[in-house]
Amino acid sequence: MPEAQILKSKEYETIYILRPDVDADTADKVQGRVAEVVGRDNGKLVKVESWGRRKLAYPVAKQKKGVYVYVKYVGKGGLVQELERNLKLQDTVLKFQTVQTSEEVDAAAVTVDPEEIKFQRLELPPEEEEKESREKALGLVDLGEGGPRSMRGERVEDEFGEGAEGAEPAPAEEPEAAPAAAAAKEGGEEES
């Protein structure tokens, strides 16, 4: 009779991103669900960190920012699938990703610092609204006197939203060749 295959523990890291306007109670519910799933599947939480609100690389569900949470844990078998299934069910979770960091881990030998697995209550300052009118975004609004302008006299801004130095239009100058040609013409008339 063949021996049953013994599932070995593996170490994983999961990062999930919450909506930027998430309140502390909702974030606590998601964190509690993560801890519950890991415990229910005989896993061990190793580390939990809240990275705060950050800008996303690209918009996700029309959101430009998100609240990042990092979780490191050890578990067997279908723990990752169960955790990801539970994260999908949460409306406040925009995205998540799990990476296996170690293939064979002795779960009994893993020491857990209680301070590192404490879920810290997520207290985020209210997000400043960076709403820009559609007209301003398209450059249809006059941005005021004295601001930098393009060569056509239109106002320009650099990537920081500030006026670019030296962007004033150059004053119209007469071509250099015209005065020299006029002087040669005058000089030729005097000799005749």
Side-chain angles (χ1 to χ4, degrees):
M1 197 149 109
E3 270 186 56
Q5 182 181 3
I6 298 173
L7 291 174
K8 297 184 179 170
S9 292
K10 299 176 182 178
E11 186 177 63
Y12 301 98
E13 293 178 342
T14 298
I15 296 175
Y16 61 91
I17 305 171
L18 303 170
R19 296 182 154 279
D21 56 353
V22 69
D23 60 83
D25 293 335
T26 307
D28 285 348
K29 285 179 187 175
V30 174
Q31 290 176 346
R33 176 61 66 109
V34 168
E36 175 189 330
V37 169
V38 171
R40 187 174 61 213
D41 284 7
N42 298 320
K44 274 189 182 178
L45 279 175
V46 177
K47 188 172 196 169
V48 177
E49 293 178 353
S50 175
W51 293 348
R53 190 180 292 125
R54 295 179 176 204
K55 185 177 179 190
L56 298 170
Y58 54 89
V60 177
K62 298 183 181 180
Q63 302 293 324
K64 293 182 179 179
K65 292 184 177 181
V67 178
Y68 285 69
V69 180
Y70 166 84
V71 182
K72 186 175 185 179
Y73 52 96
V74 174
K76 297 179 182 180
L79 174 59
V80 173
Q81 289 80 8
E82 181 63 18
L83 180 64
E84 289 183 347
R85 186 185 73 78
N86 277 276
L87 288 173
K88 281 181 192 173
L89 295 173
Q90 304 294 321
D91 291 337
T92 57
V93 177
L94 295 174
K95 269 187 138 2
F96 54 85
Q97 183 169 9
T98 302
V99 177
Q100 178 182 326
T101 57
S102 195
E103 184 126 355
E104 290 186 26
V105 177
D106 183 8
V110 173
T111 58
V112 179
D113 181 9
E115 287 299 311
E116 290 200 354
I117 63 168
K118 251 191 215 176
F119 281 116
Q120 299 158 352
R121 186 154 171 89
L122 200 58
E123 298 294 338
L124 295 170
E127 189 173 5
E128 303 92 35
E129 291 295 322
E130 295 178 15
K131 295 206 176 185
E132 184 176 38
S133 73
R134 181 172 282 170
E135 291 83 12
K136 187 175 178 185
L138 294 173
L140 301 174
V141 176
D142 182 23
L143 298 174
E145 190 64 37
R149 301 189 179 279
S150 71
M151 295 304 281
R152 288 179 265 157
E154 301 162 347
R155 183 171 166 98
V156 295
E157 292 185 0
D158 63 8
E159 65 266 15
F160 302 107
E162 301 171 354
E165 296 273 332
E168 287 291 325
E173 295 180 13
E174 292 183 29
E176 295 285 329
K185 195 176 193 183
E186 287 177 17
E189 289 175 5
E190 291 178 15
E191 290 178 4
S192 321

